[in-house]
Structures are given as structure tokens and as C-alpha cells.
Amino acid sequence: MHLRFLAFFMLFCASLQSYAQGFSMNKLPLNDWDLGNWKQVESVDNPFKKKASFVAGNKFLFANTAGKMTSKLTTADAKVRFEFMLGNNSETIFYIQGKHAVVLSNLRPSGTILLRDGGIKLPNQNAGRTAGLWQTLELTFSEASFGNAITLEKVVLNDVLIHQGYVLPSEGKNEGPIVFENKSGSVAVKDLEYLKYNNEKPLKLSGLNYELYETFDWDKQFAKKKETPNDAGKATELTKDYGVGFNRFLLVFKGDLDVEKDGNYSLIADCAGKSALIVDGKEVLPMSDESYRKPRIAYLDLKKGKHSIEMKYIKVWWKAELGLFAAGPEIRPYALHAETSLPTPQAVGEIDIAPKNDVEMVRSFVMFDGQKRTHAISIGSPKGSHYTYDLDQAALLYAWRGEFADVTEMFHERGEPQLLEAKGVKTKFSGKPSVAILADANAPMPDSLDAYKTLVFKSYSLDSEGFPTYKFSLNGTEILQKITPDVEGISVTTSASNGANLYCKLAEGKSISMIEKGRYLVDNQYVLIDPKAKPIIRNSKAGQEIIMPLSSAVSYSVSW
């Protein structure tokens, strides 16, 4: 287990930026490109097909020969997001402003930055997916505040942060087109979206008044000690400093929110304690539970002119810290509070687990589809692939490649959430039981099983490498399931003894297609089965699923 202290202020600013930008992005039309030898296509065959081809159309852009395409759009201070799919042995270069190169590849780590002096900057980890699967890249960049350079504020590949706060030397004007250059193999690009930021600050506070009330401690829910304020008057700015001298207090600010032009905006409350926000008499952020610096956001459609605003802030255990930010679709978050009212957040040590020579096994809670799974075990492998498994349901939840696990929320302060977070590029499973007794092959697989009566976890045993085999009782029948991570993904083997009408679920997704015999595309992952096997592919509540009779051992593997 390792403790790493983060460059917290930079991380905080980046998280606030992403938190505030939940606005719709602008789509770049396909006809806004100088295509060169790239093509507009309707569909592309998976590269694992023996005769992969494409169909002309207008859904996305495709290249299977070397060459560039250049957007008519130019960007300087912007966020760009797109999806891409690589063929086998393929590499494409994505250029910011037409000159700063980011590699999209399955020949070397995707997300590698090519420097103008011939050097490279590797990503924090290789978060690329395998050939034939759609991937997502998102970048936020701006002109650096010093010298002739740009700052890559954040680069996220497949939901994994791979670069942050990296400064790139530049030449000439820091503005230019978006460019893709296919170097080898094939690549498809779709759904390119962007936001171009500007320096506007169209929201301001005016006419502020404040009221200060001393409050009780937590045993009386931080209620006011009396109904008349301890202090009141005109406020020159939004600040926590009116509460100086009180250990517990409530500050209520009332005034006007001046809006320079009609538009969609966001207001972000960032406090140590409790807060609420009311605009035009409507509670847009209800009074929060006490927390330390967890920004909350309200999206508002505001007309030009004055709007009434009220902010309530309750100081509880922490040092008083009060902040309110404004943002818009093309406006970066900026402070509406006094500079001294919101100090730099306390540094938090990231506690992670990195399996180097031995397999790591961690029992924890894990969030899955918005619910906390309380009987989860996560297995970290030195081979670089890992997974999380629900022992109550004999169900895979996630598998991922790259770094193993962030367990900060299991150990930081009181560790109340007890949550483990995967750190690599992740694939998701159904989270439903992998084994069941069915009347026949047409009966539906259950969404859950009674963990105390029907499917009971008994124990696990470890092999010579340290990987567990899980043992269950399914209505009295012994079930064994072994999941082994490898370089490509994970392999699963399930067996049973002395049971009838047993079935095993291999996969479930919105759609399933056979790419080649033994290889199935399930949403955005591959499931590989012995080509001689005869899996049953059928409709399910979620779309489609693959099941097989558990009359003998069933084995398959998953890659992503």
C-alpha cells in the first residue's frame, strides 16, 4: 500500500472545471473538414473480421491509408472530445492547434505526447482499448500564463486521467485547427465536440447584505441560538470573514445577481461546512449535509437583468471556508467570493495499492449502478489486469487494465464510505448472478439470488500464483469459479458437481454480434469462447445474453 500526496490545488481546480462544465458541447459537422484521403462512412467492419470493409455514408470519418484531414474550425482555449476506433496494428496522430501531437495507437501507449524537440511525454498509464473497440479522448487546453506555450490542463482517455497541467512550448500564434494524421493501419473518428472558452464574466453580485447568527453544535443540528442576528449590515463582498470570533455560526447573504446577457449558466457552491443557495426565490441548492470542499452545482437559465440571490453558510467543525463560482458553456469558472474566503484546500494523501510481485486481494464496498455492493472482493495482479467480484451473487462487476486501486476512501479520516476505486481502463459487466438453475434453456436468468438460501458463498482457495477459486452452494450443488487475470484481460472457468438444469451466464449487453467463430462483441468488450463450443445467444431484459449449460466446465475470456 502506498501513500501519495497530490498536487491538490491543481487537482482541485481541474475537478472544479470539469464539475462546472456539464453544458452541451458543440458538434463539429462532418462537412467542416478538409478530408484529404479520409472518407465519410456509414459503417466499418470490425478489424477482426476476415474481410473487414466499410460502407460509404455520413456517420463518421475513416482512413485506411496514410494521410491527414484538417478541420475548418480553429481553437485556442478549448475543450475537445471525440470517439475513435483503431484497427489492428494502427497508429494515428491527433494535433491540437495543428501542431501539438498526441498519439492514438495500439503499437505504443495511447496518449503519448510527441514533443517538438523529438522527445516524448508518456501518459500516466496506457489506458487504450484493444483494436475494434470505440474509445474516448477528452482534452482541455489553454494558453500558458507565461512564455510562448500552451497548458494541457487535462487529458482523459477512456475515463482515465493520463496527463494534467502539462506545459508544451509553442511557436507562433497559439491557435490553429484540429488535425488527424493516420500513420498506419486504419482509424475511425466520430462525434467530435468542442467548447471554445472566452474571458467573459457576465455574472456579478451587487447590493449584498448579511446577517450573522451564532449556532449550537451538532447535537442541536447547528440551529441558531436566537432568532435575532448577532450582527447585520451591508456586505462589501461575499466572504466568511463576517463570522470571525464565533466557533459555530450561520451567515445569510442577500442581494442581487446581475446578468449581462441571456444565457445558460452554472453557480457552484464550494464550502467547508453546510450551504444552500436560493435564486429568484427558488432553492436551487438545498441545504447540504456537512462536508469538506465538495463542490455542488446548479444549472440556471437566466435572462439579462437583476435576479435576487440568497446564500446560507453554516460553519461546523472545519475552519470557515466559503466560495461561490459562476460559469457558462464557454466561460471558465470564476469566483464571485472574496479571494480570502476560500483558501487552498487541505492536501489529501492518495492511498493506493500496487501489486508488484504478489497478487493483492482487497475486501471493500464498491459502487455499481448507483448502489453500494457490500460483499465485493477486488483482485490485483502483477500481470496488469484486475477485477472486482460480488461474492453474494457470484457476479463480475468490473475488470480493468493498468494501475490497480485507489483505497483512499477506505482509510482517509474515518474511512466511512469504505469504497475502492479502479484506477485503470475499465470494462463493466452485468453484475448479475453468473450461475442459476433454470427449468429449460428458454427460462430467464435471474437478476439476483438469495445470498442466504439459494446461492451461498462458502470459501475460496488460492492457487500457486495466489489467484482465488471461489466456492458456492447453489441449492445444495457445489459451484466452483476461478477468474484469472492475464495481460489481455481475464479468463473465467466455472464448474459444478452433481447438479441438474444448471446454466452459466457468460455475458450480457445491449447487443451481441459474432465477429469470427469464437469471438463475440458484447457492447464494447470481446468475449472469447472455444470455437467448438455451442453458446446460446438470446434476448434478455437488458438486450441480449450468452449462456451455456453447466453440464461440464465452462471457460471463456474477456478483453477490452
Side-chain angles (χ1 to χ4, degrees):
M1 187 177 292
H2 303 275
L3 176 65
R4 296 192 291 191
F5 285 95
L6 308 176
F8 194 75
F9 182 65
M10 183 175 289
L11 286 174
F12 165 74
C13 291
S15 66
L16 183 67
Q17 169 78 11
S18 61
Y19 206 107
Q21 298 304 325
F23 301 100
S24 297
M25 298 179 71
N26 304 305
K27 274 201 170 183
L28 187 64
L30 295 188
N31 57 9
D32 275 14
W33 293 90
D34 292 326
L35 290 178
N37 61 343
W38 286 59
K39 308 169 184 68
Q40 290 190 24
V41 299
E42 182 74 16
S43 63
V44 175
D45 284 338
N46 188 281
F48 286 100
K49 282 194 171 181
K50 290 182 178 179
K51 294 182 179 180
S53 61
F54 65 89
V55 176
N58 58 3
K59 281 192 175 177
F60 48 92
L61 301 164
F62 176 70
N64 55 5
T65 57
K68 288 184 178 182
M69 71 170 179
T70 303
S71 72
K72 298 173 185 177
L73 169 78
T74 60
T75 59
D77 184 355
K79 176 165 75 171
V80 176
R81 181 172 62 216
F82 59 89
E83 293 185 52
F84 67 97
M85 180 176 68
L86 297 168
N88 291 311
N89 302 314
S90 297
E91 181 166 290
T92 294
I93 310 298
F94 168 68
Y95 293 94
I96 303 165
Q97 299 176 351
K99 52 191 173 184
H100 303 290
V102 179
V103 174
L104 311 175
S105 178
N106 48 34
L107 300 174
R108 53 176 164 170
S110 255
T112 297
I113 297 170
L114 304 182
L115 304 177
R116 297 177 70 82
D117 64 3
I120 63 171
K121 171 68 169 65
L122 290 171
N124 296 335
Q125 57 177 302
N126 185 3
R129 296 188 184 276
T130 193
L133 301 181
W134 284 104
Q135 310 187 54
T136 303
L137 187 72
E138 181 179 304
L139 307 92
T140 305
F141 53 91
S142 61
E143 188 167 17
S145 58
F146 54 88
N148 192 8
I150 71 163
T151 300
L152 276 178
E153 297 175 15
K154 188 170 68 167
V155 181
V156 178
L157 176 60
N158 298 320
D159 297 323
V160 178
L161 182 66
I162 60 171
H163 295 291
Q164 187 163 44
Y166 189 70
V167 177
L168 285 167
S170 190
E171 294 178 359
K173 187 178 180 181
N174 277 328
E175 185 171 2
I178 295 166
V179 177
F180 288 90
E181 181 182 11
N182 191 39
K183 305 292 282 187
S184 63
S186 62
V187 60
V189 176
K190 69 175 182 178
D191 295 340
L192 191 141
E193 301 176 311
Y194 67 94
L195 284 175
K196 296 173 71 170
Y197 297 122
N198 57 51
N199 294 319
E200 288 183 298
K201 294 184 178 180
L203 304 186
K204 296 180 176 63
L205 297 177
S206 67
L208 285 178
N209 293 283
Y210 75 94
E211 294 177 349
L212 170 69
Y213 301 86
E214 186 177 9
T215 60
F216 292 103
D217 210 331
W218 63 272
D219 57 336
K220 294 188 178 181
Q221 299 298 305
F222 309 105
K224 294 185 286 189
K225 288 188 174 182
K226 57 182 183 179
E227 288 303 312
T228 55
N230 298 70
D231 189 20
K234 290 186 177 181
T236 56
E237 53 191 353
L238 188 73
T239 175
K240 48 86 175 173
D241 292 336
Y242 291 108
V244 170
F246 292 91
N247 191 38
R248 305 275 186 269
F249 63 81
L250 163 67
L251 269 173
V252 180
F253 291 92
K254 294 181 181 180
D256 293 321
L257 179 65
D258 299 330
V259 180
E260 291 182 359
K261 62 180 182 179
D262 297 356
N264 296 314
Y265 299 99
S266 65
L267 293 173
I268 309 113
D270 179 25
C271 304
K274 302 168 62 123
S275 65
L277 187 65
I278 299 150
V279 177
D280 290 334
K282 181 180 178 182
E283 193 174 49
V284 296
L285 289 176
M287 183 60 72
S288 63
D289 293 329
E290 54 267 22
S291 64
Y292 180 76
R293 304 296 294 273
K294 292 184 178 179
R296 296 189 302 146
I297 187 166
Y299 292 98
L300 305 169
D301 184 9
L302 297 173
K303 300 296 184 182
K304 179 180 178 180
K306 288 186 180 295
H307 298 259
S308 66
I309 188 168
E310 179 179 349
M311 186 169 190
K312 298 176 182 178
Y313 168 65
I314 301 176
K315 178 189 179 299
V316 292
W317 300 289
W318 301 281
K319 179 177 64 176
E321 299 182 16
L322 164 63
L324 182 66
F325 295 85
E330 298 184 349
I331 302 164
R332 292 174 178 275
Y334 64 93
L336 298 176
H337 55 268
E339 185 176 353
T340 58
S341 188
L342 195 68
T344 301
Q346 298 172 8
V348 174
E350 179 185 296
I351 305 169
D352 62 19
I353 298 177
K356 293 185 177 178
N357 300 311
D358 300 316
V359 173
E360 295 281 357
M361 303 175 63
V362 184
R363 295 290 298 270
S364 71
F365 297 160
V366 170
M367 295 302 296
F368 186 84
D369 284 344
Q371 301 293 321
K372 189 179 282 188
R373 296 288 184 111
T374 58
H375 291 73
I377 186 169
S378 298
I379 306 300
S381 168
K383 297 177 181 180
S385 292
H386 326 285
Y387 70 88
T388 293
Y389 185 76
D390 187 342
L391 294 170
D392 260 358
Q393 299 296 315
L396 276 163
L397 301 180
Y398 303 107
W400 64 99
R401 293 195 317 273
E403 297 183 21
F404 177 40
D406 178 353
V407 292
T408 306
E409 292 204 49
M410 293 177 63
F411 297 102
H412 177 59
E413 293 183 337
R414 297 172 66 183
E416 184 276 327
Q418 287 292 298
L419 291 172
L420 176 144
E421 293 285 346
K423 294 191 67 176
V425 57
K426 186 164 62 174
T427 194
K428 181 183 175 185
F429 300 94
S430 71
K432 299 174 184 177
S434 56
V435 291
I437 298 173
L438 304 181
D440 55 54
N442 296 315
M445 290 287 286
D447 288 342
S448 64
L449 292 171
D450 189 319
Y452 295 96
K453 297 178 181 178
T454 308
L455 180 70
V456 181
F457 171 65
K458 293 295 188 179
S459 62
Y460 60 76
S461 58
L462 303 180
D463 66 12
S464 58
E465 292 183 277
F467 294 116
T469 297
Y470 306 104
K471 180 179 178 180
F472 297 88
S473 173
L474 177 60
N475 282 352
T477 298
E478 183 179 276
I479 306 289
L480 297 177
Q481 192 162 71
K482 183 173 184 178
I483 305 167
T484 308
D486 55 38
V487 176
E488 297 296 325
I490 59 170
S491 298
V492 183
T493 298
T494 307
S495 60
S497 59
N498 303 321
N501 299 322
L502 294 171
Y503 287 83
C504 179
K505 176 183 285 193
L506 283 66
E508 181 178 84
K510 293 179 181 177
S511 65
I512 297 173
S513 57
M514 187 174 76
I515 303 302
E516 58 183 357
K517 201 160 182 64
R519 181 185 293 270
Y520 297 85
L521 180 63
V522 182
D523 292 344
N524 208 34
Q525 63 182 217
Y526 293 117
V527 175
L528 292 92
I529 309 169
D530 184 341
K532 297 178 182 178
K534 296 181 179 180
I536 301 167
I537 300 176
R538 61 184 195 168
N539 293 333
S540 70
K541 292 179 185 177
Q544 289 185 294
E545 65 184 359
I546 305 175
I547 67 169
M548 288 182 66
L550 198 52
S551 52
S552 60
V554 171
S555 296
Y556 67 97
S557 60
V558 182
S559 62
W560 57 94

